[in-house]
Amino acid sequence: MQRLKETYKGIKSNLTMMNFQILDADYTYSEGKPVVRLYGRDESGNSVCCSVPDFEPYFYAKAEPEMAGILQEKFKEHIKRIEVVSRFEPVGYFKNPVSMLKITLYDPKGVPVIRDDVRKMVDEIYETDILFRNRCMVDYGLGGMGWASAEPEAERVTFDVLSNLKITSRKVEPVEILRNAPLRHLAFDIECLPLNGAMPAPETSPIVLISLAFSPDFESKKTLVLVGKNVSMDGEVESCGSEEAMLRRFFEIVREYDPDILVGYNSNSFDVPYIVERIKALNKKGARIDPLMGRDGKPVYYKKFGNTTRVSVMGRIIVDVLPLLRKEFSLKQYTLRNSAKELLGAEKLDIPFLEMEAYWKDNGEKLVKFIEYARRDSELALLFLLKLRLIDKYIALARVSGTLLQDILDGGQTQMVENLILREYMKNNRVLPARPTGEMSDERFDEGEELAGGEVLPPKKGLLENIVILDYKSLYPTIMMAHNLCYTTEVVGERPDEVVKAPSGGVFVSRKVVKGIVPAILEELLNRRQATREKMKTANEEERRVLDATQLALKILLNSFYGYSGYARARLYSLTLASAVTSFGRENILKTKSLIEDEIKGIVLKDGAAFTKDEAKEGENIALSVVYGDTDSVFVNLLDREMTLEEAELVGRKIAKIVTSSLQKPMELVFDSFGRRAIFIAKKRYAVLVWEKSDGKIREKLRVKGMETVRRDWCELTTKTVEKVLELVLKEGKVDEAVELVKNTIDSIRDIDAQKHPELFDKLILTRQYTKKPESYKSRQPHITVVEKLKSRGIIANVGDRIPFVILAGNGLFVERAEDPDFAREKNLPLDVDYYVMKQILPPVERILADFGEHGEKLRAMREKRTQKGQRSLFEFSE
DNA sequence: CCCATCCCCTAA
DNA sequence: TAAGTTAGGGGATGGG
């Protein structure tokens, strides 16, 4: 806080310094020399482009000092100079650094040109694939969405950029400012005209409407719909006369409004590529449209990588909310309609696909409807971003890791982890390897060398009462810290005196010798998280949101290092390190179980406190039994008697304290919750009725893991029935009512008619994700059957979509009887009631009720009767 | 009936 | 140049 205030004071007293938040970065050339450009926005809302001259590209090579002259001579066109430096190699514990060459080039593009040849002449090369803009930011201590303070120079290297403040500075430094600059958001959505009902293709189908939504307003408008023909209409509608004029106007508005964040729904896969291709097609026929959107004055640009499309608009962030929603929320479908309904409680307007052409050609009521439908779509995209605060987390991740926001939105955890490691390696005179190339990366799988994961304790199946749930706080990161597990502590050569040996066999130097770089980073992240959570307590609403996103980002990063170390394509892939982490984890949970069961054994409650048996000497003993555990958790059954929530908490905290005291810091077992009743079905499948205190009252909450209620590949009838059964059994202990409920549920679908009972029909829809191209499937799958059927009807599903389907009555294989629900409903096709009863309702319910004696018997009876012939009458039950 | 394989989705 | 990790249940299918 103190620092923050000073910064603001600084602005007022020193007008020559300039602060801005870094949105994006690239480089260009001035007089043949590379110049990095930082794009951002300042506190008062100006968009800024700061040119940073004189930063030089470089990489490292491990070689004898004598090689310097030879390399310099051989690549003199590219190499500006070579310095002999001391650096540590990336992996391993070393007492001393080795001699390396720091090779500085004239041009960043020179690095890929000479690196392969250089590699052949030296032992190894390092840091040869760090993008120039990232290299610059790392070396200057700057990062994505972080604030920079620049001292503008009188003499400017000016470029043709669109930002309204163009400065040049050789002195750019990071500044701590918590809040974000006032960012501008523009959501967009296009409507194309399907000709004769065919899927629109950019070569033939025109774009007829472009809808826009702004935050903040644009010329006091919240939305605007551009129309690609002449209309006279009031409201936020702009008649453009033609498609060409409309597209030109679109780019003009983007440049004028100058958004920092562009938003769309499925825009990376659809809208942007469509716009780009459509313009190419129009320009070929004589139109003149320049898709200039970037702050560098260049066009939008997209590139396909396998199934994903990457879109780039220089200087701005482009956000496709669809993939973000997929990552963030578990929904059965991610169509705009369903996402809006589930997440915003908003209705999407709709017009029938086949009638679009008629709506467009109409100039009255129907066109108005079409326009409002289009407007709604961009409004929804913007609402997702703002209401659900979709990018707050990503902004925090950018700030904490120093990675550019766009890279985080497009990519994964790898870049963030590498960014953090690179910065810390640099401070410690270590170099980073280049990213491993193609073939080598799958080595692990070919050679059968495997990374073993977490330990799952077999559950005590059936109904249990009084269960204390304990878990390890950030298990893997704390293991790495506790045992000093790191790339930089792995013993590769001579073995020092003090070492740590992992159960998996890996040997690492002790913290007493040297603290590993990764453990140091983790410690820093952990401390910052603690401090951030502390600050939240006194922050105002806006600050609190930023701080909350920050602490979440810190947590995500903490937990990313282990996964990264076991990722075969990582620059620092280390099976030794990853195995050490998991092996300590497995050892730990097993030790925890035996500590609780064989040493603590029981807890005594006396005078409102918990004691071990030894401490208490007398009093009623509560025996302990570990009934389940998965990786970092233990479920302890408190035997012998009923417990109040307070008592259970006392016992839980006591156990946690004893276990924690037996461990290396900062490993910590904590009390998580108290389960009044629980049912364990199998490993990773259970339900617990948790008792929680809120506002002094005890609340009951059903926590279900892995069972059908939380899975998206079962129909709603199943999930709802299973949920009700669990509630009856766990909350009320009414097993007989649960059986009755199942019977009624089965009865309710026996005469199912799609058109007569639409709500019931909807409950029988299953969904599954279409994960790869159809030809890659080795076996027939129901949802793929539907994808094929849809295709034959002119509807194209995309890889990544979740496909809804129902199972139709008839002969033949189940997979072949999967059908599109809309089609089945429209044609009123009969469903396979037997499938739903025998495969969707009975098995999940039986898994829960099977152990309840006669009740289980009743269910088995239901199943057996159905298997016999004459099924119709068998819905009746003989009592 | 058992078993292996493929596929999906979830827990951690 | 796409992508953090493994453990595990359970359905459909086909072969023995």
Side-chain angles (χ1 to χ4, degrees), chain A residues 367-382:
Chain A
L367 183 62
V368 173
K369 269 198 180 159
F370 195 11
I371 288 170
E372 293 317 309
Y373 153 84
R375 188 193 311 281
R376 190 82 182 128
D377 285 3
S378 64
E379 279 177 328
L380 286 172
L382 191 59

Side-chain angles (χ1 to χ4, degrees), chain A residues 464-736:
Chain A
L464 296 169
E465 296 196 326
N466 301 319
I467 290 180
V468 161
I469 303 169
L470 307 167
D471 63 10
Y472 281 93
K473 244 175 157 178
S474 305
L475 180 69
Y476 287 174
T478 57
I479 283 177
M480 293 169 97
M481 286 182 260
H483 299 106
N484 206 32
L485 306 182
C486 185
Y487 306 102
T488 65
T489 57
E490 192 183 326
V491 174
V492 291
E494 206 186 321
R495 193 173 167 141
D497 296 337
E498 305 257 16
V499 296
V500 175
K501 207 169 169 206
S504 54
V507 183
F508 301 83
V509 304
S510 152
R511 193 182 182 126
K512 289 173 201 155
V513 180
V514 63
K515 193 200 275 185
I517 291 179
V518 169
I521 295 172
L522 295 174
E523 197 175 304
E524 161 76 8
L525 295 173
L526 201 68
N527 291 340
R528 277 180 69 183
R529 179 155 189 245
Q530 192 53 46
T532 306
R533 293 175 83 163
E534 206 52 46
K535 274 190 211 159
M536 279 175 71
K537 292 178 183 165
T538 53
N540 65 36
E541 184 59 23
E542 195 201 330
E543 285 171 342
R544 205 193 57 79
R545 272 203 290 262
V546 177
L547 290 169
D548 191 37
T550 306
Q551 70 83 18
L552 180 61
L554 287 163
K555 184 183 175 177
I556 292 168
L557 289 172
L558 269 169
N559 289 310
S560 297
F561 280 79
Y562 153 69
Y564 173 82
S565 70
Y567 173 45
R569 301 173 104 97
R571 286 171 196 272
L572 291 173
Y573 165 55
S574 169
L575 209 46
T576 313
L577 176 57
S579 300
V581 175
T582 56
S583 68
F584 271 118
R586 291 190 299 275
E587 183 189 69
N588 189 245
I589 191 175
L590 292 169
K591 273 189 182 168
T592 302
K593 175 178 154 71
S594 80
L595 182 56
I596 293 170
E597 290 186 333
D598 306 333
E599 293 185 41
I600 304 175
K601 287 184 187 161
I603 295 288
V604 177
L605 287 177
K606 222 169 59 180
D607 310 324
F611 303 90
T612 61
K613 287 205 288 186
D614 288 346
E615 288 164 351
K617 295 196 181 96
E618 52 168 38
E620 186 197 6
N621 180 50
I622 297 157
L624 310 173
S625 163
V626 173
V627 290
Y628 182 58
D630 185 349
T631 311
D632 61 356
S633 66
V634 279
F635 291 59
V636 185
N637 197 2
L638 311 183
L639 304 170
D640 305 327
R641 72 167 173 96
E642 295 279 294
M643 305 290 288
T644 65
L645 177 54
E646 286 76 15
E647 288 173 330
E649 277 192 39
L650 281 174
V651 175
R653 291 189 206 287
K654 180 70 181 175
I655 300 171
K657 198 176 159 196
I658 298 169
V659 174
T660 299
S661 70
S662 78
L663 299 167
Q664 294 253 42
K665 276 188 184 168
M667 291 179 69
E668 190 186 5
L669 183 69
V670 296
F671 171 81
D672 174 82
S673 51
F674 173 53
R676 180 66 192 88
R677 270 192 275 265
I679 187 161
F680 293 92
I681 305 296
K683 284 180 176 178
K684 297 190 187 285
R685 280 171 203 222
Y686 62 88
V688 188
L689 186 68
V690 172
W691 271 6
E692 275 171 348
K693 223 189 304 178
S694 71
D695 311 328
K697 277 186 203 155
I698 291 179
R699 292 258 156 75
E700 281 188 340
K701 231 170 81 185
L702 188 63
R703 189 191 294 169
V704 184
K705 296 288 180 182
M707 296 178 67
E708 292 77 7
T709 50
V710 296
R711 294 182 62 91
R712 292 175 287 184
D713 51 357
W714 290 84
C715 67
E716 196 186 318
L717 192 73
T718 301
T719 56
K720 287 277 150 66
T721 307
V722 168
E723 189 162 343
K724 282 185 212 148
V725 166
L726 286 172
E727 283 188 354
L728 282 169
V729 172
L730 292 174
K731 281 190 182 166
E732 309 178 40
K734 293 175 176 165
V735 184
D736 45 348

Side-chain angles (χ1 to χ4, degrees), chain A residues 61-71 82 84 98-101 121-123:
Chain A
K62 186 179 156 195
E64 296 303 320
E66 302 80 69
M67 274 310 288
I70 300 168
L71 290 169
I82 299 181
V84 178
V98 296
S99 177
M100 290 200 190
L101 306 176
M121 301 169 65
V122 299
D123 293 342

